Structures are given as structure tokens and as C-alpha cells.
Amino acid sequence: MSVDEDARWLDWVTKQFESIAGEDQEIDINEFKTALNVKESFFAERFFALFDSDGSSSISLDELLKALNLLIHGSETDKLKFLFQVYDVDGSGSIDPDELRTVLKSCLRESAISLPEEKLDDLTLALFESADKDNSGSITFEELKAELENFPEVMENLTISAANWLKPPVEEQKKRGAPRYLTRAYWLNNSRKLFFLCLYSFLSLLLFITAMMQHRHGGGWFMVAKGCGQCLNFNCTFIMVLMLRRFLTWLRATWVVRVFPLDQNILLHQIVGYAILCYTLVHTTAHVFNFMQLSQSGQYQLWEYLLTTRPGIGWVKGSASLTGVVLQLVICLMVLCSSTFVRRSGHFEVFYWSHLSYVWVWSLLMVHCANFWKWFVIPGLLFMLEKIIGLAVSRMGGLYIVEVNLLPSKVTHLVIKRPQFFHFKPGDYVFINIPTIAKYEWHPFTISSAPEQSESLWLHIRSMGQWTNRLYEYFRQPEDQEVSPKRLAASLRTRRQRMKDQVSAKFGENHRFCNIKCYVDGPYGTPTRQIFASEHAVLIGAGIGITPFASILQSIMYRYRMRKQNCPSCNYSWCENIKDSEMKLRKVDFIWINRDQKSFEWFVSLLTKLEMDQADEEPEGRFLEMHMYMTSALSKNDMKAIGLQMALDLLAEKEKRDSITGLRTRTQPGRPEWGKVFQKMSEENKGKVHVFYCGSTALAKVIKAECEHFSFNFYKENF
């Protein structure tokens, strides 16, 4: 630190201390635990004991500054001695296996990692045997220092991980460079979207001006109302085109996908929806002001213009004003119920049912505007055709759920018997209706099985709303339940029907075979269809966002196995690096980010199989590389995790298997450093990098910004 930074840090620590210590100007063990924000009291107690140099069971400001000064400004030896003292619980001057086990057990709790006692013993022995160079049965300071030299990043971590609450806030430096939206990388990566928005804005402006000029005889407010009305004619039909899923899926296979952002149709649908809201508000306001002017010189009052048919405005018995008021209310309600806080707060049904009022909007627009039918006729016919085809396909012989698995984190795995006529591509999604759960509700989910899996379809559904929770609870409940005597007859009929039509074989606590009828509408395409046209694909899934990539990874490895060659004499196998029309991929990086350990259990068996397919080394490196991140685990920049991460590294190297997931790929703690990750991929020179992401919107913004920096193409899964 410089002199100024040192003074600033000292002032910050003093203020933090005073806010915690209170009037006595001393910090006791409970206040210290709260300040450190630790889950396991072991580390708080060890840090407290080392900070409390006079043994008074409290820490003064001088003691705190002295200890922190050692960690921040002290020499490498001083910092290592502090770490050694944390591990040397009994203060004997050496660390025995039991002490090391106690520390590692606390590390596991801090990182929210659950391992069997036998695995904890293995971790302890791996680290102890590596550090105990002289086989004396204990680890000395010199031996710990020698072991830490194999992990050079540890010394830097010791300087910053004393306590986050004592680190002064970092002042954000104002970037002098151009704003993100004015950079060349942003325009290149968003060229199709920007082209569409420019074209859309130009067309809207053209329609607005044309309509205004045609009605310039009516005055200013009348001209504005007519200009907005013409834009509404266009937008209220165009918003329908953006949701023609079958039509857009077909367009994805044509040249149109290279010109227009078909993969962002949901975003464009939202933009047009907000534009409709704005146009209706301005349209209504302009008419109100125009009616105010007419009421001052005419025979009707303002309320008569707005709420009656007496003035005779409109082509259907003067109903333009009345239908306009109703349209304004319905459109505002639709936009409100489509808000993110409604859809993501477990009230999807509110969004779903309110959105069905589009039928009333179009019907009222037919009555409200004499020319609307001219705009509606072609898109309306396409919409009706798509709905008829979807209804016919979904009802053409109902499908059956034949197997259900309940996975950790309330994930329901459905296995559906696949019909012969059902064809899809990796990453596609379907709408599913299960009458047993909700008779009229349809919900979209990504197909998690590969197209090459001809007998069944897989869906992995996480419980996040009312319908998904009902689905999980339905299969979690046992078949045999107690019934009320008053409802005995009805219950017997229900049980006989369910035994006949649904449950056919066996039950388990988290697994059952069944025969439950369902309906499927789809499949529909997504941005991930472009993966096989990429040379270097980076697949990033956050949590349940892995589901589209489960299908893609299985399909990729199926095609990879088709290319695999085996030597008949020595059993050596390799994969020919051939680019064809089916798959141009040269490299695939799969990144999976999960909050906790249990979330990895969803697809561990699949990922293990994919690793086994790549057991042999390839001449140009591994075709598929996996990167696992567990965000709840403390990263190596935290003193409470250094020993654990060292032990996990050593044991993984010894057993060729990760202790957390059981995969060969080592699970990394914390969050990815996207700059370093993408820099490494950029240096591999495996062709143009395309990043495909499925997960939260907040993380999508971070990844997209990094992709723009490296000029990577970015695609986000939306449906």
C-alpha cells in the first residue's frame, strides 16, 4: 500500500471497529463471529485466540491493528506462521493428523460440502502424507511452508482474506473509453438486432408520418391520434408474427437467420409489446384532447364522446370510443401481468391466463378500426394455421409418461414414450400438458434427451412455480393414502381408475414407473441449433440451465463416436478431425455453474459417460472439456478454504476423480473469472468461438459483456 492508501485503510478499520465494539471499545467472541460472517465457529475462535494477544477474552483496537498489519504488511514468513498457528490447535508447534482432520472438517462445513467420514479421512491423509516429508507423524512449520510452495497463489490470498469487513470499499474508476454501446465489438455482436431495430423504427416513423399527413385537416391532436393508430395497426399484428414458433423454427433453416435476429424473438416480442402500450397511451391521450376541443364548440359533452355512442364515431354503430376505452384497460392489464416480477414470483398462471386476452384485443380492434382487418388477414391466417397444426399434432394420439425420477433440488425427470413421427434437433423445446396436473395449462421445457435416443423423450423440470410444484408433489406422494369415510365410494372409484390407467409397475421413494397421459406441442427451435455450425462452441449452463446442453452433449458425443477410429492390432483409438455438413465442431467447452453440491447429482451419470467416451487422448487435445464450478464453496482466496482446496487437489490427482462430483473433472470453488476463462479459449485457436448460455439474466449480462470484449458470438436460450 502507498502512504495514502495505508492511511485510508487505517481510518476505515477504526470506523468499522467502533461500529462493532460499541461503548466498551472491545470486541468479544460473539461480536467477532458476527463480523467475520462465518458458518463454522472453529475459525472464528482460532482467529480470535490469535488476535487476542494478551489473553483477555476480548480484542482491543490496538490488538486488531497489530494482527491485521502482520497479515497485510508482514513478510511471507509472518503470514505463513499465522496460518500454521490456525492449524496448530493445541499450540504444540506441530500439526498432527487429528488436528488437520478437525480443520478440514470445519473447512467442509464453511463451504457447504458434505462428504462421508471415510472421504474426510482420505483428504486428511492425502494432505498429511504430502506435507509430512520426514514421516515423523506431524507437520512442522518448515514442512507446511514447503508444501505451500506448490500452490503459489496461496501467499497472495493470505494478504486479502483476513476479514472482508475490514477491507475498504473499492472506488470505481471512471473509464475514459467509449461507452459499451458505442464500441465496435458491441455493434458486430449485435448487428442483426440493431439492423432489425433500425428497420422497425424507420417503418414505424414512416407509417406515423404518412397517417398524419393523410389526416392533417383534423388538427394537431387528431393527426397524432391517427399516426399512433396506424402504428398500432402494424404492431398489433406484427407482435403475433414474432410468436409463430413453427414458422420461426422453419425460418431458422433458411438464409433469413443470418439477416434477422430470429433467436431473440422473445425480446423483440417484449419490445413491440411495450411499443403498443406507449402508442395506445398517446393515441388515447390525443383523442381525449381532441374531444375536449370538440366539446367546447359542439353539441356533445366530453364524457359523451368518451363513454357513449351518441357522437357516432366509428364504423360499427359509433362504438370506437367505447371499444377504445376497453382496449386501453385490457392492454395495460396484459403488460402489467407480463412483468418479470409476476412471471418469476411463482405466479406464471396469472401471466398465462391474462395473455390469452389477445383474442379479445384483436376482436375489439376489428370493431374499433375499420382498416384493421386488412393488416390482420395474412398474419391471422398464419396464426390460425399454426394453432390448428399444433392442436392436431398434440392431440394426435396422446403420449404417455412411462417413468419418473425425483432428483435433488426438487427436479422432476419425466421419461415420455416417443412417437415415431416425432423428430427434433438438440436443444429444442416443447410445450407439455398433463391433464392430471392441470387440464388446460401448457408449459415450455427443453428436451434433455438426444435425438438419437429413439425410444423416449426426457424432460427435466425444476420446481419454481405453482404448476411445477404440483407436478413434483404429485409424484412425491405415495399411491396409497388414507381416505375419509364420507368419500369412500368416490375414493374407491378414483383408485380403481388410477390403477387401471396410470400406475402399472413399481414404486420407489424417488423413482416410479407409470402410464400417465400427456400431450406435447412442438418441437420448437432455439439458438442452440447453430452449435453444430460452429468451430469452437462454449456451452454455459447455470443450475437447471444445463437441460438444453444435456441433449446437445449427448448428440455431440454420438457423432464423435461415429468418427472414432480403432486400430485393430494395438486397440489404440482416435477421432478423425473431419469437418462436414453435419458437424463442423473442432472443440467444445462445457461450463456448469451450480450453487451447491446436490445440484450436480442431476446429470452426473451422463457426464461420467461423456468422460468415458474420451478416455483416450486425442492428437490435438480433448474434443470436449468440462469445467465445473460450485459457488457455495469458498474459493482459494479465503483462508478458511486453503487447506481443503489443497487436499482436494492432491486427492483428485491421486484417485483421478473429483471428491465432490465423482467426475474426473475437478470441481472449482467459487465463480468463474470470465476474463481468464475466455482468454484461455481465445488462445487455443480452434476457430471462431460461439458462446451459448442458458441461465439467469443477471449472469447473462456479465458473460455477454465479456464476449463482446473478446469478439465472441453470444447466444442466450429464450422461450
Side-chain angles (χ1 to χ4, degrees), residues 395-679:
R395 298 289 174 176
M396 191 184 300
L399 307 183
Y400 289 89
I401 301 171
V402 295
E403 187 178 346
V404 178
N405 294 286
L406 301 182
L407 304 177
S409 298
K410 298 187 72 175
V411 175
T412 307
H413 174 204
L414 302 181
V415 180
I416 303 172
K417 188 175 181 180
R418 179 178 174 181
Q420 294 182 352
F421 61 83
F422 191 90
H423 302 287
F424 68 98
K425 292 187 177 182
D428 285 0
Y429 69 96
V430 296
F431 282 82
I432 186 170
N433 167 252
I434 306 176
T436 305
I437 306 300
K439 191 172 183 180
Y440 300 106
E441 291 187 27
W442 293 78
H443 295 269
F445 298 103
T446 304
I447 302 172
S448 52
S449 55
E452 293 80 9
Q453 190 174 331
S454 59
E455 295 182 355
S456 61
L457 292 174
W458 289 0
L459 298 179
H460 284 78
I461 302 171
R462 187 173 184 180
S463 300
M464 297 182 68
Q466 294 180 12
W467 187 89
T468 52
N469 276 309
R470 287 203 304 268
L471 177 71
Y472 183 86
E473 293 299 326
Y474 176 82
F475 290 112
R476 193 171 67 90
Q477 293 175 357
E479 166 65 9
D480 296 322
Q481 296 183 353
E482 296 182 2
V483 295
S484 170
K486 295 182 180 180
R487 299 181 180 179
L488 185 58
S491 299
L492 285 173
R493 286 196 299 270
T494 302
R495 285 188 60 186
R496 287 170 180 168
Q497 185 66 28
R498 289 183 63 186
M499 290 175 66
K500 180 180 178 181
D501 297 336
Q502 296 179 5
V503 182
S504 61
K506 81 173 189 181
F507 289 85
E509 183 179 354
N510 295 315
H511 175 266
R512 68 170 65 179
F513 292 108
C514 54
N515 198 36
I516 299 176
K517 195 166 187 177
C518 67
Y519 300 97
V520 171
D521 179 20
Y524 298 110
T526 65
T528 52
R529 285 195 169 192
Q530 301 186 43
I531 284 179
F532 294 97
S534 310
E535 292 183 315
H536 188 171
V538 181
L539 316 180
I540 304 175
I544 197 65
I546 189 184
T547 47
F549 303 134
S551 172
I552 291 162
L553 288 172
Q554 291 178 86
S555 185
I556 286 175
M557 295 313 297
Y558 174 84
R559 303 182 192 195
Y560 173 84
R561 287 192 294 270
M562 295 295 291
R563 293 181 178 183
K564 203 165 188 178
Q565 305 293 325
N566 293 287
C567 177
S569 58
C570 64
N571 293 326
Y572 176 75
S573 62
W574 71 96
C575 183
E576 293 185 351
N577 188 15
I578 304 173
K579 292 192 292 184
D580 52 39
S581 58
E582 288 294 322
M583 186 170 76
K584 298 180 180 180
L585 283 169
R586 297 171 58 192
K587 177 70 183 296
V588 178
D589 281 284
F590 171 61
I591 302 174
W592 191 14
I593 308 164
N594 267 316
R595 180 175 302 171
D596 50 50
Q597 182 182 0
K598 283 188 173 295
S599 298
F600 287 102
E601 298 176 13
W602 302 337
F603 293 103
V604 164
S605 58
L606 167 63
L607 299 177
T608 302
K609 185 177 179 182
L610 296 178
E611 284 187 330
M612 291 176 63
D613 287 338
Q614 286 200 123
D616 303 313
E617 291 292 334
E618 302 297 339
E620 295 188 7
R622 298 183 74 84
F623 171 71
L624 170 64
E625 283 195 29
M626 299 185 188
H627 313 268
M628 308 292 168
Y629 291 89
M630 181 175 166
T631 57
S632 68
L634 298 178
S635 58
K636 293 180 181 179
N637 66 357
D638 195 305
M639 186 180 291
K640 301 185 291 295
I642 290 172
L644 174 62
Q645 295 303 326
M646 290 169 58
L648 288 170
D649 284 342
L650 290 168
L651 191 60
E653 184 178 354
K654 178 181 178 181
E655 297 183 346
K656 307 300 181 185
R657 192 171 301 279
D658 181 57
S659 298
I660 298 175
T661 62
L663 299 171
R664 295 178 182 178
T665 303
R666 170 79 164 88
T667 302
Q668 299 299 320
R671 304 177 186 276
E673 296 184 35
W674 295 111
K676 294 181 179 179
V677 171
F678 289 160
Q679 180 65 39

Side-chain angles (χ1 to χ4, degrees), residues 78-89:
D78 292 333
K79 298 170 188 176
L80 284 176
K81 283 182 178 178
F82 182 86
L83 180 63
F84 182 83
Q85 289 173 335
V86 172
Y87 281 52
D88 182 15
V89 180

Side-chain angles (χ1 to χ4, degrees), residues 354-370:
S354 64
H355 236 57
L356 291 180
S357 57
Y358 64 78
V359 177
W360 293 106
V361 172
W362 290 334
S363 301
L364 289 169
L365 282 171
M366 292 287 190
V367 178
H368 181 77
C369 178

